[in-house]
Amino acid sequence: MGAAKASPPTSGHLVIVDAANCLYRAFFALPPLRTATGVPTNAAYGFVTMLRKVIREESPDHMVVVFDPPGGKSFRQEIYAEYKAQRDKQPEDLSAQMPAVHELIESHRLAVLQVPGFEADDVIATLVAQAPDAFRVTILSTDKDLMQLVDERVALLDTMKDRRYDPAAVEERFGVPPERVLDMRALVGDPSDNIPGVRGIGEKGAAKLMQQWGTLDALLDHVEDVKPTRAKNALLAGADDARLSKTLATLRDDVELPLGLEELVLRDPDRETLRELFERYEFTRLLDELDAESGEEGARPSVAEETAPAEVCRDLGVLADALRALDPEEAPVLAAIGSPESALRE
């Protein structure tokens, strides 16, 4: 008789990585880094730095990286053919880095989810819905649509700005609590996704309407009572667009996932493979970090540990560490002789 299958955990900390959001942010935040042979690496470097930072600082026991579906198409195009129709093609230098990104994820032994027909946001919403009540959930993303998922146990984390969006932060950002973000977004729309919204109503106006009426349905049911007249006329003309926009912006939380929570347990990385990848892509600071984690002798010293009167530093992160380690009365002299390996804020 086979061994009984382990029961899923009932408490813990799940980190969900919105891959597209993190990759695009890294790609556009960093200079166009390349290896000596010309291979672009800025998105891969920034992405893996974010992953390692959140593992180090958030101490999750479960973690998963979520990608959009192959080809980017979802059920929303069946509802509204213009949905995301005007999106620009992914930059070639970013596309060229995707194999490296997947290698880096695999070498960290992280679970990956990508479900045909459903966007990453729907997969993330489903993960949140399926997580036991005693689980804390951190979503690594700045996507406004995901802020409708925030509550007392679910937060969005922006590692670049070290900002966490809890319910209070979401309300500060939008003027409404997380449970009203969806209805507010239905009024405002989203040009980047081709979600129409109601023409003539912006974020501030939408927030005021939600504060007064609570829900989109209540607002549209009492549209004749809406003031000012300009807002009433806009709603009368755009009611159907508002309802369509809400349908498009609503996240599905019933996606059939190929992995269960017990399969998202965070495991130790494959450090040997990581070392090979960091060397191949010339991630010198991450090599130093890996050496420090492994406690290996002979690891390259950081600039802060050097005692020589002058040293060449090609890594902005190492330079920042060195400056923080200096005595306040010391006056270092800095000379820029080349572009840094990283400008990613950590």
Side-chain angles (χ1 to χ4, degrees), residues 124-173:
I124 292 170
T126 301
L127 287 165
V128 169
Q130 292 182 357
D133 290 342
F135 254 77
R136 182 161 63 94
V137 181
T138 300
I139 304 170
L140 191 58
S141 181
T142 58
D143 189 336
K144 293 178 182 178
D145 291 325
L146 291 174
M147 292 188 183
Q148 63 188 271
L149 301 176
V150 170
D151 59 23
E152 295 304 324
R153 70 186 183 102
V154 180
L156 259 65
L157 179 62
D158 178 354
T159 59
M160 285 190 183
K161 296 182 178 178
D162 288 322
R163 180 166 190 187
R164 189 181 305 273
Y165 287 90
D166 59 9
V170 171
E171 187 161 5
E172 179 185 356
R173 166 66 181 82

Side-chain angles (χ1 to χ4, degrees), residues 180-255:
R180 298 284 177 259
V181 168
L182 172 59
D183 286 357
M184 178 185 167
R185 300 279 289 157
L187 291 172
V188 176
D190 187 346
S192 67
D193 288 345
N194 240 20
I195 296 178
V198 176
R199 185 182 296 274
I201 295 182
E203 277 198 2
K204 290 184 179 179
K208 289 180 180 179
L209 290 170
M210 286 300 99
Q211 290 163 8
Q212 182 177 2
W213 297 101
T215 68
L216 180 65
D217 287 342
L219 172 64
L220 296 179
D221 286 344
H222 296 85
V223 67
E224 293 293 345
D225 300 323
V226 170
K227 294 180 180 180
T229 303
R230 181 182 59 80
K232 180 180 76 172
N233 291 338
L235 289 166
L236 287 169
D240 289 343
D241 282 341
R243 294 187 180 96
L244 171 63
S245 297
K246 182 171 180 176
T247 298
L248 294 173
T250 298
L251 303 184
R252 290 277 299 272
D253 62 3
D254 59 349
V255 180

Side-chain angles (χ1 to χ4, degrees), residues 264-282:
L264 310 184
V265 173
L266 184 64
R267 297 181 291 167
D268 289 335
D270 179 349
R271 288 187 171 83
E272 183 176 341
T273 303
L274 273 181
R275 175 177 296 282
E276 189 276 326
L277 291 173
F278 290 170
E279 289 176 348
R280 184 197 309 170
Y281 296 115
E282 301 171 13

Side-chain angles (χ1 to χ4, degrees), residues 39-41 44 96-105 277 280-281 283:
V39 176
T41 60
Q97 296 179 61
M98 294 309 298
V101 167
H102 285 286
E103 286 179 313
L104 290 163
I105 292 170
L277 291 173
R280 184 197 309 170
Y281 296 115
F283 295 164

